[in-house]
Amino acid sequence: MTPTQQTRTYWLEHAWLGTHVEPGVAVEVADGRITAVRTGTETPPPGAETLRGLTLPGLSNAHSHAFHRALRSTVQVGSGTFWTWREVMYATADRLTPETYRALARAVYAEMALAGVTSVGEFHYVHHAPGGTPYADPNAMGEALIEAAADAGIRITLLDTVYLSSGFGQPPNAHQRRFSDGSAQAWAERCSVLKDQDHARIGAAIHSVRAVPADQLATVAQWAEERRAPLHVHLSEQTAENDACREAHGCTPTRLLADHGVLGPRTTGVHNTHLTEEDIALIGGSGTGTCMCPTTERDLADGIGPAVALQRAGSPLSLGSDSHAVIDLLEEARAMELNERLRTRTRGHWTAAALLRAASADGHASLGWDGAGAIEPGALADLTTIALDSVRTAGPLARLGAETAVFAASAADVSHTVVGGRHVVRDGAHSLVPDVPQALADAVEALRG
């Protein structure tokens, strides 16, 4: 995917401009960025492409494990916990190759585009062949994901992940050997070969404090700092991990990360579910972001994180679909608010505007795509249009379009997705992947044991 070089104009029937819905907006685009926004344009200018409905800034899926899409429905049979679910996940990971992963990720990222997602943060840890032997190209799996995003027409931040142990002081198990580079330094040498592209950014990730020994955390943090790259980490998703960290180090995972220089404005903690008051203060005070993944957190029975307290403490919120139980950023935004309503028995913790910001601008920022997430001159020309005439969205006044999008619409209501000025989804059809359902079915079937 390369930015659209020609100048073009999109006419938005209704546009969300961050604070309000504006009818009749003409957006001019050149070289992949918005060059002008003209309000009060009652009819489409000559030659303009019309986007009917409510157009938002492109949505950002800040936390993805693309291969987990192959688990959809399969893991809903029977009962268990995160830890039993993980065994099914490992079995799927064992069957991935660069070729099958590219095919699956292409279909998954196309599904994201159909859901209005214009950038994805791929938390990538399946690096090597089963058993841990590197491929001839040590970054074959990561390159497959970068190519898959280009195939599907969306932006990607490849969060290349350090994963060295199965638990505190424990070597990787048989499944995890293909995740491990042996040391953080070896990871850094491999990862440094990866390069940014027009549609791709290279970031770093610490899988978790249980998977990266404490004495190697600083190596990862330094790599990201030197490159001013985003750094993500699974943080306190499970109480068992918190307990094991206290036993091994005498502190919480958040304190361990803070003591080794991991927290900061370019860092995002994913989940941040089971935190102490001190943890919340450390995260917020350092400007570390929080990526909530409500549909996965509820699917895995992880719990409800303290998102309100984290944001009040200074932690920007973003959203991700994580295991892809569903791919629907509107549902992630809605679930964050509704989960909090259930927990507190009060309503209105976030406005629709705040939830849309988490699903767009703050998500893009957490992935290193500064200048995305707004319909304004200079911003990346990434747009998502929600139909306002479906059975879910018909009826409310257009000026309540943000509330309609967050609290009533779903991914099925996305009619257009524009990435860098390029019309990737038009009238609900993907322009690059003609039959996304079949592509998904074929890719998942190829991974069945």
Side-chain angles (χ1 to χ4, degrees):
M1 183 186 77
T2 57
T4 301
Q5 298 301 312
Q6 68 186 62
T7 299
R8 65 177 59 189
T9 300
Y10 287 95
W11 182 77
L12 319 182
E13 184 182 26
H14 301 282
W16 173 249
L17 299 184
T19 57
H20 66 287
V21 174
E22 184 76 25
V25 176
V27 174
E28 296 178 6
V29 175
D31 298 335
R33 290 189 177 269
I34 297 172
T35 56
V37 176
R38 301 198 310 274
T39 58
T41 308
E42 295 183 1
T43 58
E49 296 193 48
T50 296
L51 305 183
R52 293 206 176 273
L54 174 68
T55 298
L56 315 168
L59 303 178
S60 176
N61 189 349
H63 188 67
S64 163
H65 301 293
F67 78 90
H68 290 190
R69 174 62 178 79
L71 305 176
R72 188 179 291 180
S73 298
T74 301
V75 290
Q76 302 301 343
V77 178
S79 60
T81 66
F82 167 85
W83 306 102
T84 54
W85 168 91
R86 192 174 69 158
E87 293 304 312
V88 182
M89 179 270 289
Y90 283 155
T92 300
D94 286 344
R95 292 191 284 271
L96 292 170
T97 67
E99 294 74 25
T100 59
Y101 206 3
R102 179 174 178 177
L104 177 61
R106 170 181 178 266
V108 174
Y109 297 155
E111 182 181 358
M112 290 185 194
L114 289 173
V117 170
T118 61
S119 77
V120 61
E122 184 59 42
F123 200 103
H124 166 57
Y125 54 80
V126 187
H127 302 305
H128 308 299
T133 302
Y135 291 102
D137 173 1
N139 287 304
M141 295 294 271
E143 294 287 3
L145 292 164
I146 291 170
E147 291 164 358
D151 294 341
I154 70 171
R155 306 180 194 278
I156 184 172
T157 297
L158 187 74
L159 298 162
D160 199 283
T161 303
V162 187
Y163 197 135
L164 305 174
S165 61
S166 62
F168 296 96
Q170 301 296 318
N173 65 31
H175 298 293
Q176 296 163 345
R177 289 188 192 118
R178 74 180 306 191
F179 308 162
S180 175
D181 290 295
S183 70
Q185 184 57 44
W187 164 84
E189 291 170 2
R190 177 186 56 75
C191 190
S192 295
V193 177
L194 292 161
K195 302 300 180 187
D196 289 352
Q197 300 180 32
D198 286 338
H199 79 291
R201 297 283 181 269
I202 307 302
I206 293 164
H207 180 273
S208 55
V209 293
R210 71 177 185 274
V212 180
D215 62 1
Q216 301 193 55
L217 292 170
T219 299
V220 189
Q222 182 179 358
W223 186 94
E225 178 65 26
E226 288 174 352
R227 290 159 180 77
R228 302 187 68 77
L231 173 59
H232 287 217
V233 54
H234 289 136
L235 181 54
S236 288
E237 183 179 6
Q238 297 292 324
T239 55
E241 180 177 83
N242 287 357
D243 295 341
C245 186
R246 287 191 179 94
E247 184 175 348
H249 297 289
C251 65
T252 67
T254 300
R255 170 52 73 182
L256 189 68
L257 294 175
D259 289 348
H260 289 83
V262 174
L263 302 185
R266 280 192 301 280
T267 299
T268 298
V270 181
H271 304 303
N272 292 359
T273 307
H274 303 286
L275 303 177
T276 67
E277 290 185 6
E278 181 193 35
D279 292 340
I280 293 169
L282 286 169
I283 292 167
S286 62
T288 299
T290 294
C291 180
M292 305 298 290
C293 305
T295 65
T296 290
E297 289 150 5
R298 73 190 183 195
D299 182 65
L300 297 180
D302 287 343
I304 300 171
V308 171
L310 283 161
Q311 188 169 54
R312 286 175 179 165
S315 180
L317 298 180
S318 56
L319 296 164
S321 62
D322 192 357
S323 69
H324 312 313
V326 296
I327 294 177
D328 188 339
L329 266 290
L330 300 174
E331 173 62 18
E332 302 294 346
R334 174 163 57 245
M336 188 163 70
E337 166 66 24
L338 298 186
N339 284 352
E340 195 67 17
R341 292 184 186 184
L342 285 172
R343 193 176 69 80
T344 63
R345 290 181 289 173
T346 60
R347 305 175 78 235
H349 302 276
W350 291 278
T351 63
L355 293 167
L356 287 175
R357 181 174 180 83
S360 56
D362 286 345
H364 294 299
S366 80
L367 300 177
W369 292 103
D370 296 325
I375 301 176
E376 62 185 26
L380 292 171
D382 292 4
L383 306 170
T384 297
T385 303
I386 310 295
L388 295 179
D389 57 357
S390 77
V391 292
R392 288 166 294 278
T393 61
L397 296 171
R399 64 179 175 81
L400 297 175
E403 288 77 9
T404 301
V406 172
F407 292 104
S410 76
D413 296 308
V414 173
S415 53
H416 301 280
T417 305
V418 174
V419 185
R422 182 186 194 183
H423 213 148
V424 175
V425 173
R426 187 192 303 270
D427 295 322
H430 201 291
S431 63
L432 303 175
V433 184
D435 190 341
V436 178
Q438 190 62 54
L440 286 162
D442 292 345
V444 172
E445 178 62 31
L447 294 178
R448 288 206 172 97

